[in-house]
Amino acid sequence: MKDCLKKAAPYVMLAAAWALILATFLLGERIKEQLSLLLFTLGGVLMGFGVVGIALSLIRMSPEEQKEYERSEHDERNVAIREKAAMSSWYWTLYMLWAVFMVIQIFVGGLWGVAVSVVIVLHCTFYMINIHRWNKKM
């Protein structure tokens, strides 16, 4: 049953995406612009996930290729490389958030500055939570 749901999920997402986009077109001017943008955005995200899921389900690997792929996923060297890349990308993302924060504070200010500062605080909070979580696991 679980395998059946896993196989059907991309098609359901794609159908839901088309339904949201079609509903937005049909409702037209009867809904607020913000709701229209939200429905288009959700439809686009679902469409992206659905198309990628369908494309990935069509890729076939031989049993030998599948074993090699699984072995490389758990290889210590590859795990260490992914961890270093994740840490580096975390720092780069933090630097970009600070740059955007400074630009918004200088040129725009107001609510956008508050929103970006909340995102920066959440970014750092997630980092601290994950440090605590991984300290317990290791």
Side-chain angles (χ1 to χ4, degrees), residues 34 37 97-120:
Q34 291 89 354
L37 290 173
L97 283 171
W98 276 108
V100 169
F101 174 69
M102 293 307 293
V103 167
I104 286 176
Q105 288 294 20
I106 292 169
F107 295 111
V108 180
L111 186 60
W112 288 107
V114 172
V116 173
S117 61
V118 167
V119 171
I120 291 172

Side-chain angles (χ1 to χ4, degrees), residues 13 19 30 43 46 49 68 70 91:
M13 283 191 268
R30 289 177 272 183
L46 285 174
F49 282 132
E68 181 61 33
E70 289 172 7
Y91 279 116

Side-chain angles (χ1 to χ4, degrees), residues 10 12-18 20 41-52:
V12 171
M13 283 191 268
L14 194 59
W18 282 111
L20 283 173
T41 303
L42 287 175
V45 168
L46 285 174
M47 187 176 295
F49 282 132
V51 168
V52 168

Side-chain angles (χ1 to χ4, degrees), residues 4-58:
C4 182
L5 288 175
K6 191 175 180 181
K7 288 181 181 179
Y11 297 100
V12 171
M13 283 191 268
L14 194 59
W18 282 111
L20 283 173
I21 292 170
L22 182 65
T24 307
F25 274 123
L26 292 177
L27 291 173
E29 299 291 322
R30 289 177 272 183
I31 59 175
K32 291 185 178 182
E33 184 179 352
Q34 291 89 354
L35 182 59
S36 175
L37 290 173
L38 177 68
L39 291 175
F40 271 126
T41 303
L42 287 175
V45 168
L46 285 174
M47 187 176 295
F49 282 132
V51 168
V52 168
I54 291 169
L56 289 176
S57 70
L58 296 176

